[in-house]
Amino acid sequence: MTSKIQISLKRANSETVNLKSMSPEALDAFLAVMSSLKTIALSVANEDEVNFKIKEGSALGVVEAPKSKMALIYKELDNAIKGESDDKIFTSGLRRIQEQFQRDTFDFDFHYYDNLKSEPIALHRRLKNTSRITAKRVKSSYLYKPKILQGYLNQIGGKDPNYHFDYGGGHKITIDCSKEEADSIKNYLYKDINSFVVCKEADKNKMKENYLHKVIIEKEYTGDIKTFIRAYNQENDLVNKLTSIHDFIDESFSKKKKYGFEILSYILKGFNDKNYHLSELKTLLVISKPFINHDKIELARKSLIETYNEKKLKL
């Protein structure tokens, strides 16, 4: 069973805008909102879990997803509007929608439809009248954290190697990488991809987070890893973090045996960074030790051992 979010564009006099005869200004506004809605949805749900529709004859866009995923999207929308979300990609996308909603030229209707409710929940008035949406600053002892970024890869290069995700409407993200990584990433140019990165939180003097590339994840594994990381980053207790790593890997093998080694490989590569806590690296080495010679994780584990030993020597 699915739920949906629906956005429609109207003129200032409440007349519905016809999709077949839109002014350039109306088209830009509608496309900016739909592009941002896509960014929002895919920051929570996997690509194969959401479906986007444009209703024929009118500027009305719909995003559909399984009830459980749409409930998460709505919860994050509600948190962001209340200023309680710490997801910068989500809040940035919602802020761009808010900017269009606050224009005098057009009006928007924005509704969340839950099949269990008889009436949709209206969000457009709250978005229009609330203060500028920003991410909540969360005090954390963890400066670096794992993250999954999904986007359209449209540029690789630069004096200092990096690549760019273009979310449309002037919203872009730059991800740093090595020269060797940049060479391998070229195979994904002009495609939508999922990147496992290390994210450095922005300090008081910087508006943007810094991202360091770790590994590109194939779509079929993204949903489970994204859900794990989202919960992982909400933990601020190291013991709980380490327990969640163990539980996630254990569940990957017990419930999805054909995916266990693939997911373990991605986690080993994604956490292969000296900015993580030594205990995080050691936990992964202990978890993966029984499979030390398995071809799907052997090289990733050896590389993580090198990182662990380098970090340990500097302590």
Side-chain angles (χ1 to χ4, degrees):
M1 188 176 293
T2 62
S3 298
K4 67 179 181 180
I5 287 176
Q6 179 174 293
I7 292 182
S8 59
L9 174 64
K10 297 182 178 181
R11 303 188 193 282
N13 60 6
S14 296
E15 178 186 352
T16 302
V17 174
N18 192 313
L19 195 61
K20 295 181 179 179
S21 58
M22 300 175 69
S23 68
E25 184 182 13
L27 179 62
D28 286 344
F30 184 66
L31 292 179
V33 167
M34 290 306 298
S35 175
S36 298
L37 184 58
K38 175 186 174 184
T39 300
I40 285 172
L42 293 181
S43 72
V44 176
N46 201 19
E47 195 172 67
D48 59 2
E49 295 176 311
V50 293
N51 185 37
F52 297 88
K53 297 180 180 178
I54 305 294
K55 185 176 180 180
E56 185 177 357
S58 61
L60 187 151
V62 178
V63 56
E64 297 176 340
K67 183 181 292 292
S68 59
K69 287 294 182 180
M70 189 56 74
L72 289 175
I73 294 173
Y74 169 69
K75 181 180 179 181
E76 200 64 51
L77 281 169
D78 186 53
N79 287 340
I81 292 173
K82 293 188 293 187
E84 297 176 358
S85 173
D86 62 351
D87 189 323
K88 291 181 174 60
I89 292 180
F90 196 100
T91 54
S92 178
L94 189 58
R95 183 168 62 250
R96 292 195 301 278
I97 292 177
Q98 181 188 44
E99 289 168 355
Q100 297 301 325
F101 280 25
Q102 292 177 336
R103 293 172 61 177
D104 295 331
T105 315
F106 305 102
D107 281 330
F108 283 88
D109 284 340
F110 188 11
H111 290 97
Y112 163 63
Y113 291 80
D114 186 336
N115 289 332
L116 297 178
K117 296 181 181 296
S118 57
E119 295 292 332
I121 298 175
L123 297 171
H124 42 274
R125 294 184 186 88
R126 291 178 64 193
L127 262 182
K128 193 169 184 176
N129 296 326
T130 195
S131 57
R132 187 175 185 270
I133 291 173
T134 57
K136 177 183 178 181
R137 290 192 174 274
V138 179
K139 292 183 179 180
S140 173
S141 58
Y142 297 93
L143 181 62
Y144 293 88
K145 61 184 180 182
K147 204 161 192 176
I148 302 291
L149 300 180
Q150 184 168 15
Y152 180 71
L153 176 59
N154 73 330
Q155 186 177 343
I156 302 173
K159 184 178 179 181
D160 297 318
N162 56 53
Y163 60 96
H164 303 270
F165 280 166
D166 189 346
Y167 293 99
H171 177 49
K172 297 181 180 180
I173 284 180
T174 299
I175 303 171
D176 295 327
C177 60
S178 68
K179 291 182 179 179
E180 293 75 17
E181 289 168 340
D183 190 53
S184 64
I185 293 168
K186 288 178 182 177
N187 296 327
Y188 298 92
L189 191 60
Y190 306 128
K191 295 179 181 179
D192 284 305
I193 62 173
N194 300 281
S195 284
F196 195 138
V197 303
V198 175
C199 169
K200 181 183 179 182
E201 292 278 14
D203 59 32
K204 294 180 179 180
N205 299 317
K206 295 181 179 179
M207 296 298 292
K208 295 182 178 180
E209 295 174 321
N210 293 327
Y211 302 103
L212 179 63
H213 174 82
K214 293 285 102 179
V215 62
I216 292 175
I217 303 178
E218 297 301 323
K219 292 180 181 179
E220 61 188 301
Y221 310 115
T222 307
D224 287 341
I225 297 176
K226 184 185 288 185
T227 300
F228 158 67
I229 288 178
R230 198 173 191 86
Y232 186 83
N233 287 333
Q234 291 175 354
E235 283 288 352
N236 204 32
D237 179 83
L238 181 58
V239 174
N240 289 340
K241 281 181 173 288
L242 303 182
T243 301
S244 69
I245 293 176
H246 182 277
D247 291 346
F248 175 61
I249 298 300
D250 187 57
E251 183 183 7
S252 297
F253 277 96
S254 62
K255 293 186 177 181
K256 296 186 176 181
K257 293 182 179 179
K258 64 177 182 179
Y259 291 155
F261 286 108
E262 285 83 356
I263 287 180
L264 178 54
S265 175
Y266 284 130
I267 297 299
L268 291 174
K269 294 173 183 176
F271 278 82
N272 189 354
D273 194 284
K274 286 181 286 188
N275 289 308
Y276 287 120
H277 195 284
L278 191 68
S279 294
E280 293 174 288
L281 307 185
K282 185 176 181 179
T283 295
L284 283 167
L285 291 176
V286 171
I287 290 171
S288 58
K289 189 174 182 179
F291 317 112
I292 190 170
N293 294 319
H294 196 283
D295 59 351
K296 288 185 177 178
I297 72 160
E298 184 178 6
L299 294 179
R301 191 176 188 277
K302 285 181 178 179
S303 180
L304 183 61
I305 289 175
E306 293 176 2
T307 301
Y308 172 82
N309 289 332
E310 289 177 11
K311 183 175 180 68
K312 191 174 181 180
L313 286 173
K314 292 182 179 180
L315 293 179

